[in-house]
Amino acid sequence: MDGDITDVLVAGYQDLGAARTDFDGLVEGVAAKRLKIEGAILVLHDADGEITVADTGSHLGRKGAGWGAGVGVAVGLLSPPLLASVALGTAGGAVAGRFTEHRLTSGIGDRIGSNLPPGSAGIIAVFDASQRLAVEQALPGSPAKSVVESDRTSLSALKDALAEAMGKFAPDRTVLPMPDPAFGGTIGRTVDASVADWTIVGSPKPPPGSPNVLIVLIDDAGFGNPSTFGGLVDTPNMTRVQRMGLTYNRFHVTAICSPTRSALLTGRNQHRVGFGSIAEFPGPFPGYTASVPKSCAPLARLLKENGYLTGGFGKWHLTPDHVQGAAGPFDRWPTGWGFDHWWGFLSGAAGQYDPIVTQDNSTLGVPVGEDGAQYYFPDDLTDKAVEWLHAARAQDSEKPWFMYYSTGCAHAPHHVESEWADRYRGKFDGGWDEYRRVVFDRQKQLGVIPADAELTERPDLFPAWDSLSADERKLYARQMEVFAGYSENADWNVGRLLDAIDEMGETDDTLIFYIWGDNGASMEGTITGSFNELTFLNGIPLRPDEQLRLIEDHGGIEDLGGVDTAPHYAAAWGWAGNAPFQWGKQTGSHLGGTRDPMVVAWPGRIPGGGELRSQFTHCIDIGPTILEAIGLPEARLVDGVEQEPMDGTSFLYTFEDADAEERHDVQYFESFGSRAIYKDGWWACARLDRVPWDFSPATIARFAPGVYDPDQDTWELYYLPDDFSQANDLAAEHPERLAELKELFWQEAERNRVLPLLGGFAVFFGMLPPMPTHTRYTFAGDVQNVQRGMIPRIYGRSYAIEARLEVPEGGAEGVIVANADEIGGFALWMDGEGRLHHTYSMLGVEQYRQVSDRPVPTGEVVVRMRFDADEHTPGTGGDVTLWAGDEQIGGGRIDRTVPVAFSSYAGMDIGRDNGLVVDRAYRDRAPYAFTGRVRDVVFDLEPAPHSVEQRLHHESGATGMGAAAAG
C-alpha cells in the first residue's frame, strides 16, 4: 500500500477492565515489535467519576512521522466539533475535546473523559494500513470498532478521518436516515485472518437514558370541562397525571382539529405545513394544501430514525378524503408521517359504535363486539394501545417508545352508553349560565386561574337559560349529560393506559403530555344541538320540539347517545365549557378557541405535586420539548431534503423553574379568517363576523374577493398578564400598541404562509379543483368500507345504481349495496321473499322506502334503482323506479334528498351492510350479507350540461367544505 496512507481506528468499550487489558496488550505488542503504530490514546471514566488518560507517545511507533510526537499532538490540532461525540458501544457515551502537546492529560480529562459515561472507555489508534489485522486482533474486548483510511501527510485529512471514524459511534443525527454503519473489522482470505464486527447489523439507537413519550390528545374539549381544571366532568386520571407532574394553564392550540394536529406532530405552525384548514378540503395555496412539505419532516419520523418505536392510536384527521382508499398514496397516512404502527380512523369524526378502522396502510373495516356485546371504540382503542406496548416489550425490554393516543371523544357524535350519561343526571339542570359561574369559582379555588380573573359574559347569540321552555331545558340538560359521560369515559380509558404503563414498571421513565382539547369546546351544534349532527351540517335546522319527536322515534331521550342517534349539544354548552374565556372552536381570535388544559409528568425527572406553570406555551412547542428531553437535535437533512427549522420553543426549562422567564414570546393565530397575534403578554385579535356553524351562501358572500376588506375588521387588544380571561378590551387606550401588533400579524402571516387570508375558503369562491370527469363508478362484489368521502357524487342529480347478480334457484336475500346507516344513508337490498327494496334515509328526519311488486328472477340478472331528479340542485326531490332487466318492478317518490353528506364517518359496502345498518327491517340479521352473488355494482351518474356540472361541482365543494369544517 502507498506509504502515504494510514489507518485511524476508534474502539469503544463498555467495560473498563477490558479496555485496560486491550490497551496494555497493544502497548506490549508494540514494545515487542509484533506490530507498529504511530500512537494510541486510552481514556477511562470509572464508576466513581475519576478519569484516567494514557498516551503511548511517539517512542512506541515509527519515528519522524509527519504529525510530530505521537497521536496526542495530532489530535490536539483538531477543532472540538470534529470530536463532538463518540458513542461507545450499546451503553453509549462520548469522547470530545482539544488535545495539546503541553496539556495532553488535562485536555483529554477535561474535554473527553468528562463526556464519557461512568464505566466506559475508548481507544484511538493510528497505524499503517498493513498493521490493521494485528492491531484489531490486539483489541478483542472492544464490541465496536471503526476504521478509516487517511492521508498521513495532511493534517486536514487526519481531521476528516478521525471525524468519520468517530461518526460510526456518534452518527450525525441531523442527517436522516443515518447511513449504515461501516465495517470496522478486518476481512482476510480466511476467517482466522479476519476480525468480526457485529455493529454493522445493528440499528440506530437513541441517546442513553431516553424516556418513553406519551401524548394524550382529547378532541373538541374546552378549558372549563375537566374537573382537573375546575370543570364538572370528572377527570381523575388527568388529575393523576397532574399530581405526578405539572399544570400548564397557558397552553395554546390552533382553534381547529387538523391544524392543531399538524402543528403538534411537526413542531411547526400549521400553515407552514399546509394545514391552514382541515384535511378534507385541500386548497390551491401553499398554506392550505393538506400535505406536509418534505422539508418539514414530522416528529414521529425523527424519533423513528433515531431508534424509537413509534405508534399512533385513535383519531388522525390529516389525510384528505380522496386518498383514504387502497390506492393511497400512503405518504399522507400515519405511516408516511413516521409511525411504525397505526390503529384508528383517518377521518375527522367516527361513530364510537361503528368506526371504519384503519391499521397501518390497510382498512380493517367496522369491528364487531365480542359475544354479542355492543362494540365501543374507546375501549378497543385502549386495548390495542396496551397490546402494542406489551408486544413491543415481549421483543425488546429497553427500546424507548413514542405513542400518540388521540381519542375520538369529545367530537360529535357524542356516543356513550346511558350508564355513563346517567352519572350526571340532574347535574346540569341549572343550565349553561350556572355552569359557567360554578366552574369559574372552582377554577379559582384550584388556583388554575388567577384570583383577579374575570368571568366573561355570554354573547347575545345564545339564549339565557331562564328564557327556555321546560321541554327545551330537558333536552339541553340531557345533551350535556351525554357529553359529560362521554368525556369521563375517555378519561377512564386514559387511566387504563396509564395503569398498563405502571404495571410494566415504566411510569418513571415516561414523559407524558395530557392535553384536554385540540381546540376549544365545539360551538358547531347550532342553537339547539341535534339528535343527528349531520342535520345542521346539511343546512337542515330542527326546532327543539322537532328534535324531541325524532329522538322519541330513535329510542327516547334516555337513549340519547346510543346506537340510534348521532348527537351534538347546543352551542351554548360549548361556550360554557370554555369558561372563563370568550367563544370556542373555530375562533382563532379568542382564548376560548385557542387555550386548553395541559398537564405534564415525567416522574423520574419532574417532582410531583401539580405545581402551576404559566409561561406561554403552544402545541408547536411539544416537538422541540421532546427532542431536548431526549437529547436529539432537529434534523438538517431528511431523505436528502433540507429541513425547515421547527417554529416551536422547548419548554423543558419550565420543568424545574416556575418563575423562569418566558421564551415563546411571539405567536400568530388564524382560523377561517379569525386571527390574533401574541407578543410579550399582549394579545391583539379580530374575529370574523360569522358564527361557527354558518357556512351559508349568504354569509360566505360577505367575505368574497372584492367584497371583504380585512382592514375594516374590528380589532381588540388585551394585556394577558393582568387579564387572564381576556375580559377587558384595551384597544381604545393603546392605539399605537394595537397598530404595532396588527403590523406584526401581517409579517408573521406572510412568513408562515397564512396568506392569502381566507385561502382556506378558496372552494367557496369558485377556486375549484379540476371538475370530475367520471360519471360511472364500478365496485366489485367484495368491496367493503369505502370511506364516506369517496362514495360517488350522487347529490343534486339523477343517477342509477345497477347491480349484476347471480340469484340461485331457491332465491336470495340480503344487502346488495349500503351506504352509511339509518340516520342518513341508502341501501338496495332483497328480502326473504326475493323482493327488491330501496331504502333512503334523509338524515333520520324523513325515510323513504320503495319495494318491488314481485320477486327478482333467479339466475343471472341485472337489477337497477333509478332516481330521476326534479332539478339539478342539492336536496332535490325526485322519482324512483326499480328494475329487473328491462322490466320495471316497482317505484315511488323521494321528496327531499341529502344535500351534502349522509354521514361524517360511516362508509359504503357491497354485498353487505357493515356496522349500524340503513334499514331496521334487517337489523337483527346484520350485516345481512347477500346469499347469492353480487358480481359488481355500478353507479351511473346522469351527465348534465357543462354549466350545470360546474354549478354542482361548486355547490358540492362549498357545502362539503362547510360540513367538514366541523371536523
Side-chain angles (χ1 to χ4, degrees):
M1 181 174 288
D2 192 318
D4 289 335
I5 301 299
T6 193
D7 283 351
V8 178
L9 176 145
V10 177
Y13 291 84
Q14 298 169 260
D15 180 79
L16 297 181
R20 290 193 189 94
T21 299
D22 279 5
F23 189 72
D24 290 345
L26 180 66
V27 172
E28 192 277 328
V30 172
K33 300 184 178 181
R34 292 192 300 273
L35 54 86
K36 293 181 179 180
I37 65 172
E38 303 202 23
I41 296 173
L42 167 67
V43 183
L44 302 164
H45 190 175
D46 65 25
D48 296 328
E50 184 178 348
I51 296 168
T52 305
V53 179
D55 172 32
T56 62
S58 59
H59 66 281
L60 292 177
R62 67 180 68 208
K63 303 292 184 181
W67 300 315
V71 74
V73 174
V75 175
L77 297 173
L78 299 178
S79 62
L82 291 175
L83 291 173
S85 59
V86 178
L88 302 177
T90 57
V95 179
R98 179 187 298 272
F99 303 91
T100 66
E101 183 175 7
H102 302 295
R103 299 185 58 198
L104 179 63
T105 302
S106 63
I108 293 175
D110 294 342
R111 301 298 186 90
I112 300 179
S114 61
N115 288 320
L116 287 169
S120 61
I123 294 175
I124 300 174
V126 180
F127 47 84
D128 190 276
S130 64
Q131 299 292 302
R132 178 169 175 172
L133 176 62
V135 171
E136 291 208 16
Q137 288 178 333
L139 304 175
S142 169
K145 302 181 182 71
S146 179
V147 182
V148 176
E149 288 187 349
S150 177
D151 179 352
R152 176 180 296 109
T153 62
S154 167
L155 285 175
S156 63
L158 174 61
K159 294 177 184 180
D160 293 343
L162 261 173
E164 183 180 345
M166 292 176 176
K168 178 179 180 178
F169 304 99
D172 182 358
R173 294 181 185 268
T174 69
V175 178
L176 302 174
M178 291 179 274
D180 295 331
F183 180 65
T186 300
I187 298 177
R189 290 189 173 183
T190 61
V191 173
D192 62 317
S194 304
V195 175
D197 178 13
W198 281 103
T199 64
I200 62 172
V201 297
S203 57
K205 296 184 181 299
S210 295
N212 303 317
V213 179
L214 170 64
I215 296 177
V216 174
L217 182 64
I218 305 298
D219 195 8
D220 275 15
F223 192 92
N225 283 145
S227 60
T228 311
F229 276 65
L232 301 186
V233 175
D234 288 335
T235 53
N237 291 290
M238 188 178 198
T239 302
R240 168 183 176 182
V241 175
Q242 176 194 46
R243 289 173 178 168
M244 290 192 293
L246 302 169
T247 307
Y248 286 80
N249 69 345
R250 295 181 68 223
F251 175 76
H252 299 83
V253 289
T254 74
I256 194 72
C257 296
S258 299
T260 290
R261 293 161 191 273
S262 66
L264 175 69
L265 293 175
T266 65
R268 299 170 178 92
N269 286 316
Q270 70 269 25
H271 296 82
R272 277 167 55 81
V273 292
F275 278 90
S277 184
I278 51 174
E280 285 86 343
F281 284 88
F285 300 106
Y288 302 89
T289 61
S291 180
V292 174
K294 289 181 172 55
S295 58
C296 298
L299 174 66
R301 176 72 192 282
L302 305 188
L303 296 182
K304 175 181 178 178
E305 296 295 349
N306 277 285
Y308 266 72
L309 177 65
T310 58
F313 299 86
K315 172 178 172 174
W316 182 241
H317 203 193
L318 293 167
T319 302
D321 283 352
H322 68 286
V323 297
Q324 290 185 12
F330 299 106
D331 60 346
R332 302 174 81 173
W333 288 40
T335 53
W337 283 55
F339 286 99
D340 293 308
H341 177 62
W342 168 261
W343 190 94
F345 59 92
L346 295 181
S347 58
Q352 305 301 300
Y353 302 117
D354 63 338
I356 297 178
V357 171
T358 298
Q359 178 173 301
D360 303 329
N361 287 348
S362 298
T363 300
L364 296 183
V366 180
V368 178
E370 297 181 0
D371 302 324
Q374 176 59 56
Y375 176 83
Y376 195 53
F377 177 76
D379 296 344
D380 199 12
L381 163 66
T382 308
D383 290 344
K384 293 300 188 295
V386 172
E387 289 168 8
W388 179 73
L389 290 176
H390 288 169
R393 282 296 173 255
Q395 174 191 340
D396 191 321
S397 63
E398 296 182 348
K399 187 174 186 177
W401 47 261
F402 166 63
M403 180 188 288
Y404 173 57
Y405 177 96
S406 174
T407 68
C409 174
H411 196 289
H414 299 162
H415 277 160
V416 73
E417 294 290 350
S418 58
E419 63 180 273
W420 287 91
D422 289 346
R423 299 182 181 196
Y424 294 88
R425 188 175 296 279
K427 198 166 186 176
F428 307 114
D429 287 354
W432 39 68
D433 293 309
E434 179 179 289
Y435 182 97
R436 294 267 292 191
R437 290 191 293 269
V438 170
V439 168
F440 182 66
D441 289 342
R442 286 163 54 98
Q443 290 171 332
K444 287 192 173 182
Q445 291 169 8
L446 290 173
V448 295
I449 68 174
D452 61 356
E454 299 179 36
L455 181 60
T456 56
E457 297 181 357
R458 171 172 38 81
D460 293 337
L461 175 67
F462 305 126
W465 185 260
D466 293 343
S467 70
L468 303 175
S469 69
D471 283 347
E472 288 173 328
R473 294 182 192 180
K474 177 182 179 182
L475 170 63
Y476 297 156
R478 186 57 177 175
Q479 289 174 352
M480 187 60 187
E481 290 169 7
V482 170
F483 173 84
Y486 182 36
S487 301
E488 183 183 348
N489 175 272
D491 181 78
W492 175 76
N493 270 294
V494 173
R496 294 178 56 222
L497 177 60
L498 296 174
D499 288 344
I501 296 170
D502 218 21
E503 291 166 1
M504 292 164 58
E506 299 192 24
T507 299
D508 283 354
D509 297 324
T510 301
L511 175 56
I512 304 170
F513 301 87
Y514 191 160
I515 304 167
W516 192 265
D518 58 351
N519 37 244
S522 173
M523 294 163 51
E524 296 153 338
T526 75
I527 295 298
T528 66
S530 181
F531 86 104
N532 177 6
E533 60 159 344
L534 262 292
T535 56
F536 60 82
L537 296 180
N538 277 276
I540 302 173
L542 298 172
R543 299 189 309 271
D545 62 304
E546 292 176 314
Q547 286 203 53
L548 286 169
R549 177 180 59 79
L550 288 166
I551 288 170
E552 288 303 316
D553 290 343
H554 291 81
I557 195 168
E558 297 305 314
D559 288 332
L560 191 66
V563 296
D564 293 319
T565 63
H568 203 321
Y569 58 15
W573 283 123
W575 163 75
N578 295 318
F581 306 122
Q582 303 181 57
W583 300 104
K585 180 182 177 183
Q586 287 195 30
T587 311
S589 54
H590 288 76
L591 294 176
T594 60
R595 184 174 289 181
D596 274 317
M598 180 176 70
V599 291
V600 178
W602 188 1
R605 168 77 178 270
I606 302 174
E611 283 188 8
L612 189 66
R613 296 293 185 267
S614 293
Q615 292 88 350
F616 183 98
T617 48
H618 191 277
C619 57
I620 59 174
D621 298 338
I622 298 291
T625 302
I626 291 171
L627 293 181
E628 185 180 3
I630 296 170
L632 292 175
E634 289 187 34
R636 178 173 54 84
L637 288 174
V638 177
D639 297 328
V641 178
E642 187 172 351
Q643 296 295 291
E644 300 179 38
M646 289 185 174
D647 297 309
T649 302
S650 170
F651 55 89
L652 196 73
Y653 71 96
T654 68
F655 285 6
E656 296 179 356
D657 187 355
D659 299 319
E661 185 175 348
E662 183 173 292
R663 296 182 184 176
H664 190 147
D665 53 4
V666 174
Q667 180 63 45
Y668 83 91
F669 296 84
E670 192 278 339
S671 178
F672 297 136
S674 290
R675 54 205 186 275
I677 185 74
Y678 172 84
K679 185 177 189 298
D680 297 331
W682 289 93
W683 181 290
C685 61
R687 185 180 69 85
L688 211 64
D689 184 20
R690 181 189 66 81
V691 295
W693 60 84
D694 185 5
F695 287 90
S696 66
T699 295
I700 295 302
R702 294 191 284 110
F703 304 107
V707 176
Y708 171 60
D709 181 0
D711 290 334
Q712 299 304 309
D713 286 337
T714 300
W715 281 75
E716 302 166 21
L717 179 67
Y718 302 92
Y719 186 60
L720 300 185
D722 297 338
D723 183 13
F724 181 85
S725 59
Q726 207 178 46
N728 299 297
D729 182 5
L730 303 177
E733 298 175 35
H734 299 280
E736 293 181 358
R737 173 76 67 177
L738 179 58
E740 172 191 326
L741 290 172
K742 288 167 65 175
E743 179 58 29
L744 179 60
F745 170 81
W746 289 113
Q747 293 172 10
E748 288 295 293
E750 181 176 5
R751 185 178 70 85
N752 286 284
R753 303 175 189 140
V754 179
L755 305 182
L757 193 66
L758 293 181
F761 280 9
V763 66
F764 289 119
F765 305 143
M767 300 176 188
L768 302 171
M771 189 163 60
T773 57
H774 291 161
T775 59
R776 191 174 176 87
Y777 301 81
T778 301
F779 299 86
D782 58 354
V783 172
Q784 300 180 48
N785 306 301
V786 179
Q787 297 279 7
R788 59 106 198 152
M790 301 179 69
I791 71 165
R793 47 192 176 89
I794 65 174
Y795 309 103
R797 64 171 65 240
S798 299
Y799 64 95
I801 302 176
E802 185 176 278
R804 293 193 299 162
L805 308 178
E806 294 179 7
V807 180
E809 281 300 319
E813 63 179 305
V815 173
I816 299 167
V817 56
N819 176 68
D821 54 40
E822 182 186 354
I823 56 173
F826 61 82
L828 193 63
W829 57 284
M830 288 169 54
D831 64 21
E833 296 180 353
R835 295 179 185 272
L836 183 64
H837 292 248
H838 177 246
T839 303
Y840 190 101
S841 173
M842 209 291 292
L843 305 174
V845 178
E846 297 169 6
Q847 293 177 324
Y848 303 94
R849 294 180 175 86
Q850 299 85 37
V851 59
S852 66
D853 52 24
R854 52 192 177 278
V856 172
T858 59
E860 295 188 5
V861 61
V862 175
V863 299
R864 183 169 66 258
M865 185 287 303
R866 180 181 174 90
F867 175 74
D868 291 297
D870 294 339
E871 56 182 330
H872 291 101
T873 186
T876 181
D879 295 319
V880 172
T881 52
L882 302 178
W883 302 75
D886 295 329
E887 185 176 1
Q888 183 176 339
I889 58 175
R893 175 77 185 167
I894 297 178
D895 294 326
R896 282 200 297 174
T897 55
V898 171
V900 178
F902 289 94
S903 173
S904 63
Y905 53 86
M908 186 175 76
D909 306 297
I910 308 299
R912 60 195 296 122
D913 189 353
N914 293 323
L916 301 180
V917 299
V918 174
D919 198 315
R920 294 186 190 183
Y922 58 78
R923 176 187 286 186
D924 60 345
R925 287 162 284 174
Y928 204 29
F930 190 65
T931 57
R933 180 189 175 198
V934 180
R935 295 179 65 181
D936 57 41
V937 171
V938 176
F939 284 74
D940 193 359
L941 312 184
E942 182 179 72
H946 183 71
S947 60
V948 174
E949 287 285 3
Q950 284 186 315
R951 179 170 55 80
L952 286 173
H953 184 43
H954 178 260
E955 290 177 351
S956 174
T959 53
M961 168 69 186

